[in-house]
């Protein structure tokens, strides 16, 4: 199995910044995509940002220009720098990782989630 450990959530005032981190461990051969999703109370989980191993990125329109995703392939880690935070960014943020195990079977793993709360 692949374990994802997230950190960096918390409470911040509107306009502030937070940086989320996620590290993957396990019998990993390669990670193709790492990213962040979020789920607010009463809403469906939604994509925030993803990055491929070739560093191609995809952002939700609502976070473009404010959030930046980055990866450290050597550390199997992904980061999300969140600036100009808004109350509507309040959600549980989940790390996701997709790739191949060492036996070349596919994995699609999720972290436990980290709470981000933005006060107005």
């Amino acid at each position: 199995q692949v374990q994802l450990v997230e950190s960096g959530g918390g409470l911040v005032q509107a306009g502030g910044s937070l940086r989320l981190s996620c590290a993957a461990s396990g019998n990993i051969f390669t990670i193709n995509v790492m990213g962040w999703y979020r789920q607010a109370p009463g809403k469906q989980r939604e994509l925030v940002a993803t990055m491929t191993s070739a560093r191609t990125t995809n952002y939700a329109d609502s976070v473009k220009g404010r959030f930046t995703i980055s990866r450290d392939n050597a550390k199997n880690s992904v980061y999300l720098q969140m600036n100009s935070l808004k109350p509507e960014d309040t959600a549980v943020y989940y790390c996701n990782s997709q790739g191949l195990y060492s036996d070349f079977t596919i994995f699609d793993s999720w972290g436990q989630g980290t709470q981000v709360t933005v006060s107005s």
Side-chain angles (χ1 to χ4, degrees):
Q1 288 196 352
V2 172
Q3 294 79 39
L4 299 178
V5 178
E6 301 144 334
S7 62
L11 172 65
V12 65
Q13 287 189 332
S17 298
L18 284 174
R19 186 174 187 256
L20 305 182
S21 300
C22 173
S25 62
N27 294 325
I28 299 169
F29 174 72
T30 188
I31 299 177
N32 297 324
V33 183
M34 295 193 82
W36 295 93
Y37 292 73
R38 67 187 181 187
Q39 187 167 18
K43 294 187 177 181
Q44 290 188 331
R45 189 173 299 188
E46 63 177 4
L47 178 145
V48 177
T50 61
M51 178 179 275
T52 70
S53 56
R55 302 195 181 279
T56 300
T57 58
N58 183 33
Y59 289 94
D61 288 343
S62 60
V63 307
K64 285 180 180 177
R66 300 187 298 122
F67 292 9
T68 302
I69 190 170
S70 60
R71 277 179 68 167
D72 184 333
N73 290 335
K75 295 182 178 179
N76 288 335
S77 295
V78 65
Y79 311 95
L80 186 69
Q81 178 65 44
M82 304 185 293
N83 298 330
S84 302
L85 282 160
K86 304 175 181 180
E88 50 263 44
D89 294 318
T90 295
V92 177
Y93 284 69
Y94 295 91
C95 178
N96 174 260
S97 176
Q98 301 169 34
L100 298 176
Y101 289 110
S102 55
D103 64 358
F104 305 113
T105 56
I106 296 170
F107 68 83
D108 183 350
S109 297
W110 292 90
Q112 78 284 359
T114 185
Q115 177 70 46
V116 171
T117 303
V118 184
S119 63
S120 56

